[in-house]
Amino acid sequence: MPGIIHYDFGDAIRTICTTAAEDEKDLKKVRFNKAFYQAYTQGFLEEVGDAVSAFERNYFPLAAKTMMFIMALRFLTDYLNNDIYYKTRYREHNLVRSKNQFKLIQSFEEVMG
């Protein structure tokens, strides 16, 4: 499906480059894995080639951070709306997911600068 490549890239990074599950309660385990980021980015660029300009590539880190933020807000919003969108296994599941994504943003900023 056509769309903005930054959303796909950012969501892949958000999902792949974390050291913990999306719903890990122990936030000490949530860290951004820069080596995974670099490996994924290299493979991604090898596949897309010249379809992505240097200007667009410059925004890949922002795309990753933006998707983490969007998902943190979506999980938090769903939690505040009594979990009507995402399936949950326990009452504060979406709150845990939201905190997890905010922690991932913090770690991303520490690792990526």
Side-chain angles (χ1 to χ4, degrees), residues 66-85:
T66 299
M67 288 308 297
M68 293 172 207
F69 186 69
I70 287 170
M71 291 309 299
L73 290 180
R74 289 184 74 188
F75 288 137
L76 181 58
T77 300
D78 199 38
Y79 169 75
L80 295 172
N81 285 321
N82 296 313
D83 305 315
I84 58 175
Y85 187 79

Side-chain angles (χ1 to χ4, degrees), residues 5-7 9-11 13 59-68:
I5 198 164
H6 294 92
Y7 285 115
F9 178 85
D11 199 37
I13 293 300
Y59 288 95
F60 281 177
L62 179 59
K65 189 174 167 182
T66 299
M67 288 308 297
M68 293 172 207

Side-chain angles (χ1 to χ4, degrees), residues 22-77:
E22 185 175 75
D23 56 0
E24 174 60 56
K25 292 179 183 180
D26 183 356
L27 297 181
K28 292 178 194 149
K29 295 180 181 179
V30 180
R31 291 183 311 279
F32 186 79
N33 187 318
K34 187 174 182 177
F36 285 5
Y37 176 86
Q38 292 169 329
Y40 181 86
T41 302
Q42 180 181 345
F44 185 83
L45 291 174
E46 287 173 7
E47 288 299 314
V48 298
D50 292 335
V52 176
S53 71
F55 179 79
E56 290 170 315
R57 285 184 206 129
N58 286 334
Y59 288 95
F60 281 177
L62 179 59
K65 189 174 167 182
T66 299
M67 288 308 297
M68 293 172 207
F69 186 69
I70 287 170
M71 291 309 299
L73 290 180
R74 289 184 74 188
F75 288 137
L76 181 58
T77 300

